[in-house]
Amino acid sequence: MEYKFPSGFLWGAATSAHQVEGWNFNDWTEWEKTNANRLAKETRMEFQEWQQEKFPEMFEPKNYISDHACGHYKRFEQDFDIVKELGQNAHRFSIEWSRIEPEEGKFDEREIEHYQLVIKALKERGLEPFVTLWHWTLPIWLAKKGGVRNADFPKYFEKYVKKMVEVLGRDVKYWLTINEPEIYSLNSYYRGRWTPQKKGILNFYFSMRSLMKAHKRAYRAIKKITPLSMVGGVCNLSDFKSSEGVVNAILKILFERFWNHRYLRRVHHQLDFIGLNFYFHNRIDYGINKNKKEVVSDVGWDTHPEGIENVLANLKRYDKPVYITESGMADKEDKYRRWFIEETLKAVSRALERGVNIQGYFHWSLLDNFEWDKGFWPRFGLVEVNYKTMERRIRPSALEYAKICKNNSINL
Ligand code: IFM
């Protein structure tokens, strides 16, 4: 049986500036330089033997330096040709704040022009731009002032956002303010794994609070300048399932409330749509993440694509359009990606049948790219990147995804 997606459904893939562009200068590039040796050493404790054997590059400090990344800053036109060839009609990317405002209050006109060209290149190929305004990297001057934890962070963000909307707003309908505030706060301000490596529940709380305020300010600013634009936020939500027993059922409700709904409940009046990033499934059994781990990705994450149905159904309460702004898996050999995409999209079709207003799907990612503190070894791309030659090679799963995009349908 064939399932037809609603007409006008957007099909695409996503990237973020720091992970693909190359030649950045921001808080992450500086952190990478001082932490590369440590990260290479810690790998032995963090990853299993099969991962260490499959990806020996994880032991090399240079794996942790983003440097030229995928060179997408210079190759964006060729990369968008691939997107077009793959039958997609939309594309999600992010703007690198540190390029735009390298010094406080000084905007770099040449970099603004760069992103104008990026958007023009997308439009010329019939690709609807979804523009993320902040995907985790900060200009150095702002990081020095305490970044997200500076009480004025929301104001700094608003100023940058206003500038972006003034110069790009004519050609952009869809804006995404902040990527995954909960994942950023968790890793940078609770676990202390990412720059600026702060720890503790209070740090997490204040980081989230600041990002919520920043989102709200950005929303109002964008709508004031371009009232017809659509402004969304991007959350990384989990599928929670509980094993038997009252305790597990209660734990499930609490985790779901805290992780999936705390941010959304607070910002939903300032959202025209919800951006959902889906990767994680959590079985609660007197503890979190007691998963069966039937299919595990290269980074060791349990993949449970059908879980997206449950998460989508739970978003119905907000009564907003939903775009799946990320969903994907690290799979160097492309063994599971086709299965993963198909199972995800079948689950999406079931959620549509259940009345969830889903309007688009963006696979993470278009290209293999720089995966933050793990560096280059995880391969999330529909398109493989040879980091030595910068050559691109379309993976077989991408061709299968292309069929779905072109037909706007999937065989159930
Ligand atoms: O690479 C990241 C991306 O930057 C944010 N969402 C999850 C992806 C995979 O970890």
Side-chain angles (χ1 to χ4, degrees):
M1 194 183 111
E2 194 190 29
Y3 180 86
K4 269 248 156 262
F5 284 85
S7 84
F9 199 85
L10 294 181
W11 295 103
T15 63
S16 92
H18 187 69
Q19 294 176 272
V20 296
E21 280 182 351
W23 309 286
N24 274 317
F25 178 54
N26 57 36
D27 62 334
W28 269 87
T29 53
E30 295 317 278
W31 185 80
E32 288 158 18
K33 284 180 210 150
T34 46
N35 287 274
N37 284 326
R38 175 181 65 80
L39 291 169
K41 274 192 201 130
E42 285 177 5
T43 285
R44 206 169 288 284
M45 271 116 58
E46 207 179 321
F47 296 100
Q48 298 188 1
E49 243 169 68
W50 67 266
Q51 291 167 301
Q52 299 182 17
E53 270 165 30
K54 192 166 171 186
F55 301 102
E57 64 269 38
M58 64 167 70
F59 296 106
E60 295 168 22
K62 74 169 191 301
N63 168 71
Y64 301 92
I65 309 268
S66 58
D67 193 21
H68 51 51
C70 309
H72 179 73
Y73 186 81
K74 294 184 185 161
R75 294 172 168 253
F76 65 90
E77 287 179 313
Q78 292 99 302
D79 288 339
F80 296 161
D81 284 341
I82 299 176
V83 175
K84 181 84 200 136
E85 192 185 324
L86 291 176
Q88 301 174 16
N89 57 9
H91 183 68
R92 177 180 172 221
F93 70 99
S94 78
I95 293 180
E96 178 59 36
W97 187 353
S98 63
R99 288 187 187 276
I100 298 293
E101 196 180 356
E103 284 175 55
E104 183 176 348
K106 288 200 182 141
F107 295 101
D108 186 325
E109 294 303 326
R110 274 206 340 232
E111 294 292 359
I112 289 175
E113 199 187 321
H114 169 79
Y115 289 106
Q116 283 168 332
L117 292 175
V118 168
I119 290 164
K120 184 165 171 264
L122 288 172
K123 296 217 135 179
E124 279 169 0
R125 289 161 180 78
L127 302 166
E128 183 70 51
F130 268 58
V131 183
T132 312
L133 287 155
W134 191 62
H135 200 119
W136 300 346
T137 47
L138 292 168
I140 300 286
W141 61 266
L142 183 50
K144 282 190 181 149
K145 282 176 185 265
V148 163
R149 288 293 316 274
N150 182 309
D152 285 331
F153 175 83
K155 286 190 200 151
Y156 291 122
F157 184 59
E158 180 186 4
K159 206 167 154 200
Y160 149 73
V161 168
K162 269 187 182 161
K163 180 73 183 177
M164 286 302 89
V165 181
E166 277 160 13
V167 293
L168 306 176
R170 222 187 37 188
D171 295 313
V172 175
K173 179 173 174 199
Y174 298 93
W175 294 100
L176 296 152
T177 55
I178 289 167
N179 183 68
E180 299 178 0
E182 62 302 283
I183 295 287
Y184 176 77
S185 302
L186 180 76
N187 287 314
S188 291
Y189 285 99
Y190 177 71
R191 289 182 176 154
R193 292 170 81 142
W194 296 352
T195 180
Q197 291 190 279
K198 302 280 185 233
K199 282 190 180 169
I201 193 75
L202 279 182
N203 270 314
F204 176 84
Y205 171 82
F206 284 116
S207 165
M208 284 299 283
R209 201 169 76 151
S210 174
L211 292 172
M212 277 176 209
K213 283 189 187 166
H215 167 82
K216 289 183 184 180
R217 274 183 175 264
Y219 178 88
R220 290 190 203 106
I222 302 172
K223 297 301 275 192
K224 202 166 165 193
I225 304 170
T226 51
L228 296 181
S229 59
M230 296 285 286
V231 184
V234 180
C235 293
N236 184 319
L237 308 184
S238 266
D239 171 37
F240 292 96
K241 292 262 162 41
S242 70
S243 298
E244 278 175 17
V246 183
V247 175
N248 286 325
I250 293 172
L251 282 176
K252 176 193 174 253
I253 293 171
L254 293 178
F255 276 121
E256 214 162 45
R257 276 196 170 193
F258 177 73
W259 189 257
N260 284 1
H261 297 290
R262 190 171 173 273
Y263 182 80
L264 283 175
R265 266 206 315 270
R266 283 167 174 72
V267 302
H268 75 276
H269 291 302
Q270 290 84 27
L271 281 180
D272 298 328
F273 66 91
I274 296 172
L276 165 65
N277 289 3
F278 179 73
Y279 294 89
F280 300 114
H281 158 72
N282 275 293
R283 177 166 292 282
I284 315 280
D285 195 359
Y286 301 104
I288 198 159
N289 207 343
K290 304 285 180 180
N291 298 2
K292 292 192 185 127
K293 298 208 166 185
E294 278 154 1
V295 179
V296 169
S297 74
D298 286 345
V299 284
W301 299 348
D302 179 31
T303 49
H304 187 67
E306 60 269 40
I308 200 170
E309 178 183 351
N310 189 28
V311 176
L312 286 164
N314 276 325
L315 292 179
K316 234 173 130 177
R317 68 185 76 174
Y318 300 105
D319 197 20
K320 310 264 177 201
V322 179
Y323 291 87
I324 297 146
T325 36
E326 281 181 35
S327 134
M329 70 183 289
D331 179 17
K332 183 183 179 188
E333 284 156 357
D334 208 34
K335 216 160 124 190
Y336 297 110
R337 194 173 282 103
R338 174 182 177 178
W339 162 83
F340 179 88
I341 293 174
E342 289 178 353
E343 290 309 307
T344 301
L345 292 174
K346 284 181 198 169
V348 171
S349 75
R350 291 193 293 272
L352 278 159
E353 294 280 278
R354 288 169 68 179
V356 189
N357 181 5
I358 309 158
Q359 303 200 351
Y361 172 87
F362 294 81
H363 189 78
W364 184 270
S365 177
L366 173 65
L367 304 168
D368 286 340
N369 60 53
F370 182 76
E371 177 62 15
W372 307 108
D373 61 338
K374 296 185 187 63
F376 284 109
W377 65 264
R379 302 284 186 152
F380 276 92
L382 289 169
V383 178
E384 182 185 336
V385 176
N386 177 331
Y387 291 116
K388 285 200 184 104
T389 60
M390 285 297 148
E391 235 173 284
R392 274 57 170 157
R393 192 182 65 84
I394 296 175
R395 290 199 162 99
S397 59
L399 297 174
E400 296 303 320
Y401 177 48
K403 287 183 198 156
I404 299 172
C405 301
K406 286 176 189 164
N407 298 334
N408 198 34
S409 73
I410 184 165
N411 283 321
L412 294 179

